[in-house]
């Protein structure tokens, strides 16, 4: 598996990836700018979750939430809620653990920001194919070399895994016993890392020859086989999103939102 | 089309020259096969013809290599790759890594050359069709078998339609059917005016498809000529190049007095059949 | 001679992708036999032979190596009986020195230290790379790395050796070297199973050929007989060796295995 991307026919999937990226960045800017914990929570409930449902990736998002985020939130709530050093308004106490209002608010603030950030990013990744993102970004003016580095690093992971898998298989074929739990497997994999990296480096040399043979970098303005639609409505939408985020930040800075 | 004059090259820190006093001429629109033992300098020669040596490789370079009248070492690498397409040995390392489908992979070079989109689609479809890749166009390039990757690597260079094409052991992972397909494509390209240089171990195929053969041994061209004369040369095995079984059989028949000494040794099936039938083998 | 019969019964293998790579194969290979498996890319050859050391498990049917069923042995256990050389050496080689890589198998199999040194050096001499023992494999050429991969399996001294495309990228001397290695293995009583696209190499070095197409066996038998079975070869898109094709064009009914054999037949015909 290369990415988390899920192929679905939905309006969210069809959006220009740059629009989705701008929306994500706007959300991140807003939730970290405003001090109120209920605003990030509101964004999660009113924007992120509906978007996931509309894109028919809600189930996967929930699963990822349970695996990735929930444990983190629980730890955060316990540590900050019960052991917040500056907490004065004690609600409940048992030994050294004191549940304070300040600790609760702090963990809610951090937790809701974190949720908006992680869930928003997940919806983005779940609904955006990396190839389409790269194309859209290059179309929007990003350098093709930077696009190459990003795409290549996305693809190098599965290629790396594939290689590690085949070498491990070859080692077993030469008598290496790995059926002995994760520790044994890890011990078997450890000596693999150096040669794998070295192998990849030799590859880079050969690959750069192959890339240059195909005129990579010969022109700053390459054309593109795949074209990502970018209707006027989305371009306006992006500016509005950016303006909204900027406005919120200004309002926070000048003290209207406190 | 290709002219190498007294070319020599030694890699950085290498104790000896990989190539020395090398002269090579390839006429426009012909297919030249390069044969030689492992370590004879074939890959280095390919990189010189394609302009990658000396521009991307440190070391000592002497002599002149010109393609279509331009001396490669005097121009930029981009200028060179516009004239000479290079297909390197390991297909896995020829996948760009930047594209997610075979279709996009094939278009990669055209994008870099700012080819218009409609033309790009046409050319990618056409090359995929000739190399039997149409069914794979929407697959990830990394999900292919070694043989399929090799065909994609060749197609990704053929699609750019360079006037000169250099291929370094392009059929090593292909089965006979895939190998024939590649040679058919090269033959068609050469009919269309493309000059082809191919490094290969498969003597019989080279004999069938090449206009000329050069033998490389210890960094020097030791023999050049038509496939029929080069592959029938008695010195071939001393240069580490295999003779076909038919040539070996004809040599033995000649030694045993069954074929006239004057007969040119056959290499492939059709010339072999002619020689043996003429001398009483057919029944 | 080893005493391990390879028995493949009703074998099917379907990959997760849904592709049925092996679609019902029955095959018995006697101890010490040398068998070549030929067929187009995608015919199921590699999937079939990967069952021999458990790298691929039967979806249906069974594979036995002597009294062991590969279904209930680990790859490591099976490596005591079956050595496997990968087609692409870079999928196999991992150590920092040639010697270290070749010694990996013997070490895992529990060879004594002096036995390891001895088997490593013998194997490296067999592939003509004894002088490169201390070199980093990445400094060798692809055809040399291929020979390191072969040495790594020779050093294990398994009763069965599987070779996936041993001659790719080898020049004339390399192919001859591999042929002599196979002879040495046979002299030791080792069973050799090889996949190959090189029909000249196949006809000259294997007494038995198995032709595969679409996951099934289309022909199986003595090399000369199989290469005379034109319909089966055509169905599997396998091109016969050069001398067989020549004999066919000349209208001969028999097939010569090597140039000398061909000339003998030619001489007989000339005499009438």
């Amino acid at each position: 598996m290369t990415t988390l991307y899920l192929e679905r026919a939905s309006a969210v999937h069809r959006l220009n990836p740059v629009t989705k990226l701008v929306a994500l960045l706007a959300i991140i800017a807003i939730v970290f700018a405003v001090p109120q914990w209920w605003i990030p929570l509101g964004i999660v409930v009113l924007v992120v979750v509906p978007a996931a449902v509309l894109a028919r990736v809600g189930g996967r998002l929930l699963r990822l939430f349970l695996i990735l985020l929930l444990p983190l939130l629980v730890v955060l709530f316990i540590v900050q809620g019960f052991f917040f050093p500056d907490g004065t308004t004690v609600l409940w106490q048992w030994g050294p653990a004191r549940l304070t209002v300040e600790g609760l608010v702090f963990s809610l603030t951090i937790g809701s920001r974190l949720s908006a950030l992680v869930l928003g990013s997940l919806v983005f990744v779940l609904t955006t194919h990396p190839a389409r993102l790269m194309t859209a970004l290059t179309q929007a003016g990003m350098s093709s070399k930077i696009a190459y580095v990003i795409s290549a690093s996305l693809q190098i992971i599965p290629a790396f895994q594939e290689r590690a898998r085949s070498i491990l298989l070859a080692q077993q074929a030469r008598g290496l016993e790995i059926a002995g739990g994760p520790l044994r497997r890890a011990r078997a994999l450890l000596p693999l890392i150096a040669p794998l990296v070295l192998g990849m480096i030799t590859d880079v040399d050969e690959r750069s020859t192959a890339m240059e043979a195909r005129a990579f970098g010969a022109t700053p303005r390459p054309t593109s086989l795949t074209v990502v639609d970018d209707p006027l409505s989305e371009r306006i939408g992006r500016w509005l999103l950016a303006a909204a985020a900027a406005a919120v930040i200004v309002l926070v800075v000048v003290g209207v939102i406190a | 089309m290709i002219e190498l004059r007294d070319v020599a090259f030694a890699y950085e820190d290498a104790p000896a020259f990989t190539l020395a006093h090398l002269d090579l001429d390839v006429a426009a629109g012909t297919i030249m096969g390069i044969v030689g033992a492992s370590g004879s300098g074939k890959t280095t020669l390919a990189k010189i013809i394609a302009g990658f040596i000396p521009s991307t490789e440190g070391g000592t370079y002497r002599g002149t290599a010109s393609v279509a009248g331009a001396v490669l070492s005097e121009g930029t690498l981009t200028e060179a790759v516009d004239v000479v397409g290079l297909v390197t040995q390991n297909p896995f390392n020829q996948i760009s890594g930047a594209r997610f489908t075979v279709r996009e992979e094939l278009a990669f070079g055209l994008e870099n050359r700012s080819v218009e989109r409609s033309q790009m689609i046409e050319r990618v479809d056409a090359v995929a069709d000739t190399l039997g890749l149409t069914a794979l166009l929407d697959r990830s390039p990394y999900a292919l078998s070694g043989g399929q990757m090799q065909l994609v690597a060749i197609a990704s260079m053929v699609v750019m339609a360079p006037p000169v094409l250099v291929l370094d052991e392009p059929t090593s992972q292909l089965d006979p059917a895939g190998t024939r397909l590649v040679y058919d494509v090269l033959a068609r390209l050469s009919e269309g005016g493309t000059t082809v240089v191919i490094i290969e171990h498969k003597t019989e195929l080279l004999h069938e498809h090449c206009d000329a053969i050069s033998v490389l041994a210890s960094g020097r061209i030791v023999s050049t000529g038509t496939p029929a004369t080069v592959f029938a040369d008695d010195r071939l095995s001393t240069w580490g190049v295999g003779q076909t079984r038919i040539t070996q059989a004809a040599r033995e028949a000649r030694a045993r007095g069954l074929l006239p000494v004057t007969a040119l040794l056959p290499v492939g099936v059709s010339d072999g059949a002619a020689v043996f039938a003429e001398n009483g083998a057919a029944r | 001679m080893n005493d391990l019969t390879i028995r493949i019964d009703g074998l099917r293998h379907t990959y997760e992708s849904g592709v049925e790579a092996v679609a019902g194969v029955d095959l018995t290979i006697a101890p010490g036999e040398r068998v070549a498996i030929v067929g187009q890319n995608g015919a199921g050859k590699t999937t079939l032979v990967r069952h021999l050391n458990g790298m691929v498990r039967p979806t249906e049917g069974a594979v036995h190596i002597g009294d062991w069923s590969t279904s209930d042995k680990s790859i490591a256990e099976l490596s005591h009986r079956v050595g496997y050389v990968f087609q692409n050496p870079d999928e196999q080689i991992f150590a920092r020195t040639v010697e270290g890589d070749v010694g990996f198998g013997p070490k895992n199999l529990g060879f004594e230290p002096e036995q390891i040194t001895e088997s490593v050096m013998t194997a490296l001499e067999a592939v003509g790379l004894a002088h490169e023992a201390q070199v980093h494999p990445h400094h060798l050429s692809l055809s040399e790395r291929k020979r390191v991969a072969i040495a790594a399996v020779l050093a294990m001294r398994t009763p069965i050796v599987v070779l996936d495309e041993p001659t790719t990228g080898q020049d004339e001397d390399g192919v001859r070297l591999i042929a002599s290695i196979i002879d040495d293995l046979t002299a030791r009583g080792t069973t050799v199973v090889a996949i190959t696209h090189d029909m000249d190499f196949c006809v000259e070095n294997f007494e038995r050929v198995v032709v595969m197409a679409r996951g099934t066996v289309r022909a199986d038998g003595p090399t000369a007989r199989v290469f005379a079975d034109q319909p089966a070869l055509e169905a599997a898109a396998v091109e016969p060796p050069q001398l067989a094709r020549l004999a066919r064009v000349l209208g001969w009914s028999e097939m010569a295995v090597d140039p000398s054999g061909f000339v003998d037949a030619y001489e007989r015909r000339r005499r009438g």
Side-chain angles (χ1 to χ4, degrees), chain B residues 1-251:
Chain B
M1 190 66 179
I2 302 170
E3 266 184 43
L4 267 54
R5 288 290 167 266
D6 203 21
V7 166
F9 183 73
Y11 287 93
E12 222 162 14
D13 304 326
F17 275 81
T18 303
L19 298 176
H21 302 299
L22 196 131
D23 293 291
L24 182 75
D25 288 271
V26 185
T30 62
I31 305 182
M32 160 74 84
I34 308 275
V35 296
S38 303
S40 60
K42 301 189 297 288
T43 297
T44 307
L45 175 59
K47 285 187 167 181
I48 287 176
I49 299 173
F52 281 84
I53 291 176
S55 76
T56 65
E57 193 77 56
T60 315
Y61 176 82
R62 287 200 292 261
T64 51
S66 56
V67 174
V71 176
L72 296 178
S73 54
E74 288 168 4
T76 65
L77 186 58
T78 305
E79 285 164 1
V81 302
D82 276 345
V83 183
V84 189
L86 174 68
V87 178
T88 55
Q89 224 176 2
N90 186 346
F92 182 80
N93 286 337
Q94 281 176 86
I95 291 174
S96 68
R99 294 294 179 267
F100 290 78
T101 63
V102 169
R103 189 192 306 279
E104 293 167 334
E105 183 66 30
L106 294 181
F108 183 71
L110 298 175
E111 293 178 336
N112 293 331
R113 262 7 237 122
S114 307
V115 172
E116 212 192 305
R117 185 163 176 266
S118 58
Q119 224 195 332
M120 200 144 54
I121 294 170
E122 217 170 273
R123 280 163 72 174
V124 167
D125 285 347
V127 83
D129 188 44
T130 47
L131 280 163
L133 295 169
T134 307
L136 304 177
L137 282 175
D138 292 315
R139 295 258 290 271
S140 160
Y142 283 109
L144 305 177
S145 71
Q148 290 168 332
M149 273 190 197
Q150 201 151 35
L151 287 174
V152 167
I154 295 166
S156 69
M157 195 48 70
V158 168
V159 76
M160 297 177 73
V164 177
L165 199 55
V166 179
L167 307 107
D168 191 356
E169 296 191 27
T171 66
S172 59
Q173 308 212 16
L174 295 175
D175 58 16
T179 306
R180 292 229 167 256
L181 189 64
V182 169
Y183 274 92
D184 287 346
V185 170
L186 295 180
R188 240 176 298 162
L189 288 173
S190 122
E191 274 165 33
T194 306
T195 308
V196 179
V197 176
I198 181 163
I199 293 171
E200 174 75 89
H201 288 302
K202 296 167 184 162
T203 309
E204 187 182 5
L205 282 160
L206 292 175
H207 171 256
E208 221 171 287
H209 293 278
C210 291
D211 299 293
I213 302 291
S214 282
V215 185
L216 202 57
S218 314
R220 288 160 195 258
I221 301 272
V222 290
S223 174
T224 296
T226 64
T229 53
V230 172
F231 288 137
D233 195 317
D234 284 340
R235 294 168 297 172
L236 212 55
S237 58
T238 61
W239 297 322
V241 179
Q243 278 183 322
T244 67
R245 299 305 186 270
I246 288 179
T247 310
Q248 290 169 14
R251 259 175 80 178

Side-chain angles (χ1 to χ4, degrees), chain A residues 1 4 60 81 102 120 138 142 151-152 158 161 170 185 192 197 200 211 243 248:
Chain A
M1 191 179 63
L4 293 172
R60 182 65 62 90
E102 290 79 4
T138 348
M142 186 175 73
S151 316
Q161 283 173 335
R185 193 175 277 264
L192 268 186
V197 170
M200 289 300 197
M211 291 299 90
V248 170

Side-chain angles (χ1 to χ4, degrees), chain A residues 7-191:
Chain A
E7 180 79 50
R8 300 274 192 277
S10 86
V12 181
H13 282 73
R14 274 192 301 276
L15 278 176
N16 188 303
V18 179
T19 308
K20 283 185 267 187
L21 189 62
V22 169
L24 176 63
L25 293 174
I27 288 174
I28 294 171
I30 291 171
V31 301
F32 280 90
V34 298
Q36 289 84 355
W37 59 267
W38 48 269
I39 289 182
L41 198 65
I43 288 176
V44 168
V45 174
L46 299 176
V47 180
V48 178
V49 172
V53 172
L54 187 65
R56 299 196 286 132
V57 297
R60 182 65 62 90
L61 185 71
L62 180 66
R63 209 156 55 223
L64 288 167
F65 167 76
L66 294 176
I67 301 168
L68 294 174
L69 205 56
L70 194 62
L72 210 67
L73 292 178
V74 170
V75 171
L76 182 76
F77 178 74
I78 293 171
V79 172
Q80 299 299 346
F82 287 92
F83 300 99
F84 194 62
D86 302 333
T88 47
T89 325
V90 180
L91 294 173
W92 181 80
Q93 188 160 12
W94 188 72
R98 298 179 307 136
L99 181 66
T100 62
V101 173
E102 290 79 4
L104 215 52
V105 168
F106 183 80
S107 59
L108 274 172
T109 312
I110 301 295
S112 63
R113 280 175 179 170
L114 201 65
S115 304
L117 170 74
V118 172
L119 296 177
S121 306
L122 281 174
V123 171
F124 176 73
V125 175
L126 286 168
T127 64
T128 312
H129 193 285
R132 213 162 160 262
L133 172 65
M134 284 307 122
T135 312
L137 285 174
T138 348
Q139 256 170 249
M142 186 175 73
S143 128
S144 57
K145 289 200 175 159
I146 293 174
Y148 175 83
V149 171
I150 298 173
S151 316
S153 48
L154 275 173
Q155 298 217 63
I156 206 85
I157 298 160
F160 199 83
Q161 283 173 335
E162 186 55 46
R163 200 145 181 167
R165 217 184 350 253
S166 68
I167 290 190
L168 196 59
L169 205 57
Q171 294 192 329
Q172 287 171 267
R174 287 196 270 155
L176 182 75
E177 190 60 77
I178 62 161
L183 200 71
R184 190 137 188 189
R185 193 175 277 264
R187 267 215 346 242
L189 273 169
L190 218 56

